């Protein structure tokens, strides 16, 4: 079984930074593509960033140049460094393993002055 636990969310002013962490348990982490999704009120859940088992990354156009996804296989942890945050980034952020698709409980990110 796999458990994903996100942390690091909070309230930050526009232009600020946050670093989200997702700690995984189980044996599939090292061979699994890991992803960050987010869901804002009234909107569908969207893919923010992904990182493959070999370290190849992909980002949504809205966060390119501002967010960085990384992973530490030894620690079974995936990170999302978020810089230059905008109010539009406000959402609940979820950690996800691609297949099988396990989900964390989410962590709230609020960007507001």
């Amino acid at each position: 079984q796999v458990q994903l636990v996100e942390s690091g969310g909070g309230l930050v002013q526009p232009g600020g930074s946050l670093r989200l962490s997702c700690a995984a348990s189980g044996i599939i982490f090292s061979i699994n593509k890991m992803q960050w999704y987010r869901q804002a009120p009234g909107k569908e859940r969207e893919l923010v960033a992904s990182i493959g088992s070999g370290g190849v990354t992909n980002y949504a156009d809205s966060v390119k140049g501002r967010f960085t996804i990384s992973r530490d296989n030894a620690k079974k942890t995936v990170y999302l460094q978020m810089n230059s945050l905008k109010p539009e980034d406000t959402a609940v952020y979820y950690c996800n393993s691609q297949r099988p698709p396990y989900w964390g409980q989410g962590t709230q990110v609020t960007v507001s002055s």
Side-chain angles (χ1 to χ4, degrees):
Q1 64 174 289
V2 175
Q3 293 183 341
L4 305 176
V5 181
E6 302 98 331
S7 62
L11 175 64
V12 64
Q13 294 185 357
S17 298
L18 285 173
R19 188 193 192 199
L20 306 184
S21 298
C22 173
S25 62
I27 63 173
I28 68 170
F29 185 88
S30 64
I31 60 173
N32 210 313
K33 176 179 286 187
M34 301 299 296
Q35 303 176 149
W36 285 97
Y37 284 77
R38 68 185 181 187
Q39 187 165 26
K43 297 183 178 179
E44 295 187 3
R45 188 172 298 185
E46 64 174 339
L47 179 63
V48 176
S50 65
I51 183 167
S53 60
V56 177
T57 59
N58 192 32
Y59 299 92
D61 288 341
S62 59
V63 307
K64 286 181 179 178
R66 300 188 297 118
F67 291 11
T68 302
I69 188 171
S70 61
R71 66 192 296 161
D72 186 332
N73 288 344
K75 297 180 179 179
K76 295 184 177 180
T77 301
V78 60
Y79 306 94
L80 186 67
Q81 178 66 47
M82 305 184 295
N83 299 327
S84 301
L85 283 163
K86 305 175 181 179
E88 305 92 276
D89 296 318
T90 296
V92 177
Y93 285 71
Y94 297 91
C95 181
N96 159 264
S97 59
Q98 185 184 50
R99 56 174 71 96
Y102 290 97
W103 295 89
Q105 81 287 349
T107 185
Q108 176 71 48
V109 172
T110 302
V111 185
S112 179
S113 59

